[in-house]
PDB file of all heavy atoms in Angstrom:
ATOM      1  N   ILE K  64      -0.769 -35.000  23.518  1.00 97.00           N
ATOM      2  CA  ILE K  64      -2.122 -35.190  24.070  1.00 97.00           C
ATOM      3  C   ILE K  64      -2.128 -36.339  25.072  1.00 97.00           C
ATOM      4  O   ILE K  64      -2.783 -36.276  26.116  1.00 97.00           O
ATOM      5  CB  ILE K  64      -3.149 -35.380  22.933  1.00 97.00           C
ATOM      6  CG1 ILE K  64      -3.195 -34.097  22.086  1.00 97.00           C
ATOM      7  CG2 ILE K  64      -4.541 -35.698  23.471  1.00 97.00           C
ATOM      8  CD1 ILE K  64      -3.845 -34.232  20.757  1.00 97.00           C
ATOM      9  N   GLY K  65      -1.345 -37.382  24.767  1.00 97.00           N
ATOM     10  CA  GLY K  65      -1.217 -38.507  25.701  1.00 97.00           C
ATOM     11  C   GLY K  65      -0.643 -38.044  27.034  1.00 97.00           C
ATOM     12  O   GLY K  65      -1.111 -38.464  28.106  1.00 97.00           O
ATOM     13  N   ARG K  66       0.341 -37.173  26.969  1.00 96.00           N
ATOM     14  CA  ARG K  66       0.973 -36.644  28.189  1.00 96.00           C
ATOM     15  C   ARG K  66      -0.050 -35.852  29.017  1.00 96.00           C
ATOM     16  O   ARG K  66      -0.138 -36.000  30.241  1.00 96.00           O
ATOM     17  CB  ARG K  66       2.137 -35.740  27.787  1.00 96.00           C
ATOM     18  CG  ARG K  66       2.903 -35.149  28.940  1.00 96.00           C
ATOM     19  CD  ARG K  66       4.102 -34.369  28.393  1.00 96.00           C
ATOM     20  NE  ARG K  66       4.860 -33.752  29.469  1.00 96.00           N
ATOM     21  CZ  ARG K  66       4.695 -32.496  29.870  1.00 96.00           C
ATOM     22  NH1 ARG K  66       3.795 -31.749  29.271  1.00 96.00           N
ATOM     23  NH2 ARG K  66       5.426 -32.011  30.840  1.00 96.00           N
ATOM     24  N   ALA K  67      -0.847 -35.025  28.323  1.00 97.00           N
ATOM     25  CA  ALA K  67      -1.870 -34.233  29.015  1.00 97.00           C
ATOM     26  C   ALA K  67      -2.892 -35.160  29.686  1.00 97.00           C
ATOM     27  O   ALA K  67      -3.341 -34.898  30.804  1.00 97.00           O
ATOM     28  CB  ALA K  67      -2.561 -33.305  28.024  1.00 97.00           C
ATOM     29  N   THR K  68      -3.227 -36.240  28.984  1.00 97.00           N
ATOM     30  CA  THR K  68      -4.192 -37.198  29.540  1.00 97.00           C
ATOM     31  C   THR K  68      -3.635 -37.828  30.819  1.00 97.00           C
ATOM     32  O   THR K  68      -4.326 -37.918  31.830  1.00 97.00           O
ATOM     33  CB  THR K  68      -4.489 -38.302  28.495  1.00 97.00           C
ATOM     34  OG1 THR K  68      -4.838 -37.676  27.274  1.00 97.00           O
ATOM     35  CG2 THR K  68      -5.609 -39.216  28.942  1.00 97.00           C
ATOM     36  N   GLU K  69      -2.375 -38.265  30.746  1.00 97.00           N
ATOM     37  CA  GLU K  69      -1.748 -38.893  31.926  1.00 97.00           C
ATOM     38  C   GLU K  69      -1.677 -37.928  33.109  1.00 97.00           C
ATOM     39  O   GLU K  69      -1.849 -38.318  34.258  1.00 97.00           O
ATOM     40  CB  GLU K  69      -0.334 -39.351  31.574  1.00 97.00           C
ATOM     41  CG  GLU K  69      -0.311 -40.652  30.817  1.00 97.00           C
ATOM     42  CD  GLU K  69       1.072 -40.968  30.269  1.00 97.00           C
ATOM     43  OE1 GLU K  69       2.047 -40.303  30.677  1.00 97.00           O
ATOM     44  OE2 GLU K  69       1.166 -41.864  29.421  1.00 97.00           O
ATOM     45  N   MET K  70      -1.392 -36.659  32.808  1.00 97.00           N
ATOM     46  CA  MET K  70      -1.245 -35.675  33.883  1.00 97.00           C
ATOM     47  C   MET K  70      -2.592 -35.123  34.359  1.00 97.00           C
ATOM     48  O   MET K  70      -2.650 -34.394  35.352  1.00 97.00           O
ATOM     49  CB  MET K  70      -0.356 -34.509  33.414  1.00 97.00           C
ATOM     50  CG  MET K  70       1.074 -34.928  33.132  1.00 97.00           C
ATOM     51  SD  MET K  70       2.011 -33.614  32.361  1.00 97.00           S
ATOM     52  CE  MET K  70       2.469 -32.669  33.794  1.00 97.00           C
ATOM     53  N   GLY K  71      -3.650 -35.412  33.620  1.00 97.00           N
ATOM     54  CA  GLY K  71      -4.976 -34.926  33.984  1.00 97.00           C
ATOM     55  C   GLY K  71      -5.101 -33.415  33.823  1.00 97.00           C
ATOM     56  O   GLY K  71      -5.893 -32.761  34.506  1.00 97.00           O
ATOM     57  N   ARG K  72      -4.310 -32.889  32.899  1.00 97.00           N
ATOM     58  CA  ARG K  72      -4.359 -31.437  32.647  1.00 97.00           C
ATOM     59  C   ARG K  72      -4.842 -31.171  31.217  1.00 97.00           C
ATOM     60  O   ARG K  72      -4.786 -32.055  30.369  1.00 97.00           O
ATOM     61  CB  ARG K  72      -2.960 -30.847  32.869  1.00 97.00           C
ATOM     62  CG  ARG K  72      -2.695 -30.600  34.364  1.00 97.00           C
ATOM     63  CD  ARG K  72      -1.242 -30.457  34.696  1.00 97.00           C
ATOM     64  NE  ARG K  72      -0.520 -29.474  33.923  1.00 97.00           N
ATOM     65  CZ  ARG K  72       0.799 -29.265  34.049  1.00 97.00           C
ATOM     66  NH1 ARG K  72       1.504 -29.953  34.916  1.00 97.00           N
ATOM     67  NH2 ARG K  72       1.406 -28.359  33.320  1.00 97.00           N
ATOM     68  N   PRO K  73      -5.330 -29.959  30.961  1.00 98.00           N
ATOM     69  CA  PRO K  73      -5.909 -29.711  29.625  1.00 98.00           C
ATOM     70  C   PRO K  73      -4.882 -29.524  28.512  1.00 98.00           C
ATOM     71  O   PRO K  73      -3.685 -29.395  28.769  1.00 98.00           O
ATOM     72  CB  PRO K  73      -6.705 -28.421  29.825  1.00 98.00           C
ATOM     73  CG  PRO K  73      -6.162 -27.785  31.038  1.00 98.00           C
ATOM     74  CD  PRO K  73      -5.505 -28.828  31.870  1.00 98.00           C
ATOM     75  N   VAL K  74      -5.406 -29.511  27.288  1.00 98.00           N
ATOM     76  CA  VAL K  74      -4.613 -29.203  26.085  1.00 98.00           C
ATOM     77  C   VAL K  74      -5.102 -27.852  25.595  1.00 98.00           C
ATOM     78  O   VAL K  74      -6.305 -27.594  25.590  1.00 98.00           O
ATOM     79  CB  VAL K  74      -4.861 -30.281  24.992  1.00 98.00           C
ATOM     80  CG1 VAL K  74      -4.229 -29.877  23.682  1.00 98.00           C
ATOM     81  CG2 VAL K  74      -4.358 -31.633  25.450  1.00 98.00           C
ATOM     82  N   HIS K  75      -4.170 -26.979  25.223  1.00 98.00           N
ATOM     83  CA  HIS K  75      -4.585 -25.686  24.666  1.00 98.00           C
ATOM     84  C   HIS K  75      -4.244 -25.639  23.191  1.00 98.00           C
ATOM     85  O   HIS K  75      -3.171 -26.064  22.775  1.00 98.00           O
ATOM     86  CB  HIS K  75      -3.884 -24.533  25.399  1.00 98.00           C
ATOM     87  CG  HIS K  75      -4.112 -23.206  24.727  1.00 98.00           C
ATOM     88  ND1 HIS K  75      -3.113 -22.517  24.077  1.00 98.00           N
ATOM     89  CD2 HIS K  75      -5.243 -22.458  24.581  1.00 98.00           C
ATOM     90  CE1 HIS K  75      -3.623 -21.401  23.585  1.00 98.00           C
ATOM     91  NE2 HIS K  75      -4.899 -21.338  23.857  1.00 98.00           N
TER      92      HIS K  75
END
Side-chain angles (χ1 to χ4, degrees):
Chain K
I64 297 164
R66 181 175 179 264
T68 309
E69 281 170 13
M70 295 171 82
R72 278 161 53 183
V74 171
H75 171 249

